[in-house]
Structures are given as structure tokens and as C-alpha cells.
Amino acid sequence: MSSTPIPPPVFTRSGETTPTVHSLSPKSSEDSLKKEKLNQIIVASKSVEDGLEDIDGGWEGYMETELPEKGQRKLLRNLRHHILNVYRRLFSVVFLVNLGVLISVAVRGATADYIGKIVIANIFVSVLIREEHVVNGLFFIFTAVPKSWPLWMRVFTARVYSLGGIHSGSAVAALMWLIYFTVQVSIDLRRHKASIPLAVITYVILAFLIVIIALAAPAWRRIHHDKFEMVHRFLGWTVTGLVWAQVVLLIRDYKDPSVPLHVAMRHSAPFWLVVILTASIASSWTHLRKVKVQSEVLSNHAVRIHYEYTSAIPGTFSRVSYSPLTEWHSFATISIPGQKGFDHIISRVGDWTSKTIANPPEEIWVRGVPTAGIMNVVPLFNRVVVVATGSGIAPCAPHVYAKKTAIKLLWTSRNIRKTYGDRFVDSIMTAAPDAIIYDTDAHGKPDMVKLIHHVYKEFDAEAVCIISNQPLTQKVVYGLMARGVPAFGAIWDS
């Protein structure tokens, strides 16, 4: 029997799915046998104890294998992989450099004009490092490293997804400098060097920036993410407008009296930084549009939405909304080689996703461009174990389809056919016939660190990428990194 591939779904104009060339109907005996075989792969378990299915049998006996001891002493290990992870190292470098410069400037003394330039520079860096085109450009540069380079160099460049540490470090540094600037403006106000409008606007900006940074604290942000985004967006826009007024007043108050204001502005670095900063904030919104979509309800737990307004590369995400000013939700893009557009798989995790599954949209708001994320680092490696739990399969699927890197897929989930539908599961299994599928409904939760380490060794992989919930991701990444395995997972920094 020939190995005829089962194609991924193709959406018709009515939004229904149809096969491209090869029918999945029982009318074709060959495809019926293939469908039956794939069902057996998913449903049948080679090991009642372990509950894993794998054509190669590479998982067998993983519970009996010895998991290596964690390297280094516990304190040093926790310091390296948890307390001072790459994100926090970048934050610390940015903040401490700024702190050192601030102490030096404070000792020597400086004018409000000089301090204001440093405030604007930090705000500029904080905003620009999050701009979608900048993010994509940085990922492009850091992931362009050849696979022939030493593994340690590729692991280093793969940490590009931690650049959010520069964003938060610059924001906190800007607050620190703004406090110093506010003190200096207050002094200059008494000396009649600074104007009352400049002082008032500075006080307001300081208050708003304190609120923005305080509500961005991880503990509060996780619990109140929608409120965090609202505050971040609307207060951020307000601060941007106030910074424009502050910069103009700063230039006016401290320029040479013989120089016209428009000339002084034209030669002012803070003015041009604010121009670029504002453009970077606006850039995402210039792509705001409502697009037609085609939805397929996979189950009462998941819906698949197809978009054709643009294409996406593996390892990116895009934002969608029903109410563009109040909330946005990010989902991994699923691109299929040779097909136009991309898909989202949206699983039930809250009110918004539940509403989307119950009432699949025909139109939805989108903005910005598909932006690189954690899974964009996969092509840096020659052999990778890709781990997905539940709907975490969505960010992994494009790499499985693209086949640009040797991938061993480990997917743990509740009954995957019932949850995600035969057609999607068939397309994954056809693209990765040696995938390991673990049904948590039937067999409970495995020892993920031990299982992944076993698969990593058996597959002779260079790295592990995992898409899961935050607690499990952190546990697995720490457990593997502490044993010398390059591991990558989301860091929930936005």
C-alpha cells in the first residue's frame, strides 16, 4: 500500500472543511485502512502502565531509566536557572548600569535638561524593544545563526525571547531617572529656571508611571491580566501625550533665548526620540482591521479559526479581539506549507474563549503583524524534542508541518481526537508519524521531566522546547536545565 499523505484541512468559502485531493471517506479502502491505522496509533497503548503510544517504541521503559542528578549546588543552581534567569539578568544589567550612571551624575551634578535626555532615552528603549517589527528583526538576526555553529552559541542566541528584560529594566530605570528629574525641576522651579507647566506635567507623568510599573508586577498581572492591559494601554497613551508636552516645555525652558523654539526642537535628541517612540506605538494600530474568518468547531473545548488576510511563518503569534480598545488575545499562528493564510486553535480557558467556541466568529478584529515568539528558535537546532500539553500543540504544529528541523513530538492531552478532531490529529500524525501521544484521561499525568529527558536522550536531540501552562513549563525547563539539557519555554513576561 502506498504512503498517501492525509492532507490538513482546507477551508471553503462557507467555512466548512473539505479534503484537498485525498478523500477521508470510507469509499476509499486505502484511506479507510490508513484512518483505522492512525486511530489505532492514538487509541491503543503499548504500555498500560505508561500510557504512551509511539511507532518506534522509543519511550518504552522510561520509568526504569535513571534520571541524572541535578548539577551544581542547590543555591547556585537556583540562582542561575531561577532567580537570575536570562530575563532577570538582562533586567539587572540595564538597571544597574543606569543606577551606576545616575550615582555618578548625581555626585557631579547635572541640569534638568541633561537628566531629561536620559529619562527619554530609557522610555524610548523600553517602548521600542516591544515594537513588533523590532521584535521580528531581532529574532531574525539571532536565529540566523547556522546550525553548524557550536551548540553553546546557538543556545545563547536562542535566548533572544528573553529580551523583555530590557523592556522592564529600561522602564524601571526611566522611573528612577524621572524621580531625579522631578527633584531637579522642583529645585529649578524655585530658582525660576523651570516653568510651572513643566513641573506640573512632570509630577503627573511620575504618578502615572508609578501606577503603570506597579500594576505590571508579575503577581498582580497574572491575576488581573485584562486590567493590566487596559491600564498599560490607556495610561501609556496618556503618558506619551504628556511626554510630548514635557519635551516641548523642557526645550523651551532650557534653550538659548536667542534660538527660536522650532530650531531648538529640530536639534533636540529627545524630540526625535519621542517622534520615533510615538511612531512605534502607532505602527501596530495602523494595521488594525476587521477581517472575515472561517471557523470550525472542533469540540466543546476548542475551535479552529482560519485567516487569509496575511501569511505567517512558524513560531509566530497574532492578536485578535471583538473590542479593539478594551481587550486583545494572542494565539499562535498555524501555517501550512503551500496554503494561504494561517489558523488559530482556541481552547476553552476563560469567558472570552468560551464565548468564541460557543459562537464561532465570521469576522474578528486583528492588528499588527504576526510576531515572533518562543517557538521561533526551533530552526536553530538540528534535532529538537518539541513538547506540547493540550492546546500547546498549536505553536508546535507549524514546525511539524514545515519539517525544516528533525523533530520528535511529545503531545500529552486529554482524548485528542475528541478534543481537536480527526482531521487535525490526522494531519499531525501524518507529518510526525513517530510522535509520542499520551492520553492523560486514560493514564493520568506522567513524570514529565523524566519522560522528556528520556526522549531527549533516545532521540539524541540538541534541545527541548515546551509549550504548556506556566507551572509545568517552569518545572520542566528548570528540571532539564539543571541537568545540562538546553530547554526553552515561555516566560510570561507580557
Side-chain angles (χ1 to χ4, degrees):
M1 184 173 67
S2 63
S3 58
T4 307
I6 298 176
V10 174
F11 288 83
T12 63
R13 291 187 179 180
S14 66
E16 298 177 350
T17 55
T18 59
T20 49
V21 177
H22 308 281
S23 171
L24 298 179
S25 151
K27 293 179 181 179
S28 167
S29 60
E30 177 178 324
D31 287 337
S32 294
L33 290 171
K34 181 176 290 295
K35 181 72 171 291
E36 182 181 351
K37 180 182 178 182
L38 286 170
N39 274 316
Q40 290 171 353
I41 293 172
I42 302 301
V43 176
S45 171
K46 287 186 177 183
S47 168
V48 174
E49 178 184 354
D50 298 334
L52 298 171
E53 300 85 30
D54 181 284
I55 293 176
D56 294 335
W59 52 266
E60 289 177 329
Y62 91 93
M63 288 299 292
E64 285 70 44
T65 60
E66 288 292 330
L67 188 62
E69 292 294 323
K70 297 173 183 176
Q72 303 177 322
R73 293 184 177 180
K74 185 175 181 180
L75 179 61
L76 182 60
R77 191 171 65 232
N78 289 343
L79 186 66
R80 179 183 178 189
H81 299 302
H82 180 62
I83 299 172
L84 283 180
N85 57 29
V86 176
Y87 178 95
R88 288 173 177 157
R89 287 178 220 168
L90 290 172
F91 175 96
S92 300
V93 168
V94 172
F95 179 78
L96 292 175
V97 167
N98 271 277
L99 180 61
V101 175
L102 185 144
I103 293 172
S104 174
V105 170
V107 168
R108 292 184 286 107
T111 64
D113 179 46
Y114 180 82
I115 301 167
K117 291 176 182 177
I118 303 178
V119 174
I120 298 300
N122 274 284
I123 294 176
F124 172 81
V125 172
S126 180
V127 171
L128 200 69
I129 200 72
R130 286 295 200 193
E131 201 276 329
E132 293 159 345
H133 295 89
V134 172
V135 170
N136 286 343
L138 289 171
F139 267 87
F140 177 80
I141 293 169
F142 278 80
T143 60
V145 172
K147 291 181 181 179
S148 59
W149 281 24
L151 179 60
W152 71 266
M153 295 184 70
R154 287 177 283 137
V155 169
F156 175 81
T157 61
R159 300 296 176 190
V160 61
Y161 64 88
S162 296
L163 287 176
I166 297 176
H167 164 76
S168 54
S170 298
V172 174
L175 175 60
M176 178 177 65
W177 279 102
L178 184 59
I179 293 171
Y180 183 25
F181 176 79
T182 303
V183 171
Q184 190 61 49
V185 166
S186 299
I187 294 171
D188 288 350
L189 181 63
R190 291 199 301 269
R191 296 174 178 172
H192 304 291
K193 288 184 178 180
S195 63
I196 293 177
L198 174 62
V200 171
I201 287 176
T202 298
Y203 299 149
V204 174
I205 291 175
L206 178 59
F208 283 174
L209 200 56
I210 289 173
V211 172
I212 291 172
I213 291 175
L215 297 186
W220 197 91
R221 188 179 66 217
R222 277 195 299 270
I223 300 172
H224 307 284
H225 193 269
D226 288 345
K227 294 178 182 177
F228 153 73
E229 283 201 346
M230 290 275 286
V231 170
H232 221 64
R233 181 176 304 119
F234 288 108
L235 274 190
W237 290 348
T238 303
V239 167
T240 302
L242 291 171
V243 165
W244 268 103
Q246 184 187 47
V247 167
V248 172
L249 290 171
L250 184 65
I251 295 171
R252 187 200 67 177
D253 289 357
Y254 290 88
K255 72 179 179 64
D256 186 327
S258 64
V259 178
L261 178 59
H262 71 277
V263 174
M265 290 175 61
R266 194 166 65 240
H267 292 88
S268 169
F271 171 78
W272 291 110
L273 288 179
V274 175
V275 169
I276 298 172
L277 178 155
T278 306
S280 72
I281 293 173
S283 66
S284 175
W285 294 89
T286 60
H287 295 278
L288 177 67
R289 75 204 82 171
K290 181 179 275 190
V291 299
K292 292 186 180 298
V293 297
Q294 296 148 349
S295 301
E296 174 195 12
V297 175
L298 303 176
S299 67
N300 62 3
H301 180 76
V303 63
R304 185 173 184 170
I305 301 179
H306 181 69
Y307 307 79
E308 292 193 351
Y309 72 95
T310 190
S311 295
I313 63 172
T316 58
F317 66 89
S318 65
R319 300 177 178 89
V320 296
S321 176
Y322 297 128
S323 178
L325 289 178
T326 58
E327 63 175 357
W328 285 91
H329 300 268
S330 299
F331 298 97
T333 62
I334 304 177
S335 52
I336 300 172
Q339 290 194 19
K340 182 181 178 181
F342 63 90
D343 299 343
H344 285 157
I345 287 184
I346 298 175
S347 294
R348 187 185 302 275
V349 292
D351 293 341
W352 192 92
T353 53
S354 297
K355 181 176 74 173
T356 301
I357 295 168
N359 302 287
E362 295 182 357
E363 292 182 318
I364 201 165
W365 287 95
V366 298
R367 71 176 172 91
V369 296
T371 308
I374 172 65
M375 291 301 290
N376 200 259
V377 306
V378 168
L380 273 170
F381 304 101
N382 293 290
R383 297 175 69 81
V384 186
V385 174
V386 171
V387 182
T389 65
S391 58
I393 189 63
C396 306
H399 291 292
V400 173
Y401 293 142
K403 298 183 179 180
K404 292 184 178 180
T405 297
I407 288 175
K408 183 71 169 183
L409 175 64
L410 168 60
W411 184 11
T412 71
S413 178
R414 304 175 65 180
N415 192 321
I416 61 173
R417 287 194 177 274
K418 181 179 178 181
T419 305
Y420 301 102
D422 287 342
R423 203 177 299 275
F424 176 70
V425 173
D426 286 348
S427 69
I428 292 292
M429 293 304 299
T430 301
D434 63 343
I436 298 173
I437 309 297
Y438 186 100
D439 187 342
T440 55
D441 260 355
H443 309 289
K445 296 180 180 180
D447 182 337
M448 289 296 286
V449 175
K450 193 168 190 177
L451 171 59
I452 294 169
H453 188 273
H454 174 77
V455 175
Y456 164 82
K457 297 296 289 185
E458 289 292 312
F459 189 59
D460 192 25
E462 291 184 330
V464 172
C465 292
I466 178 170
I467 301 295
S468 184
N469 57 59
Q470 187 170 358
L472 183 58
T473 297
Q474 292 175 341
K475 177 182 178 180
V476 167
V477 170
Y478 175 82
L480 294 176
M481 292 290 291
R483 294 175 171 86
V485 177
F488 306 90
I491 56 176
W492 285 272
D493 63 328
S494 62

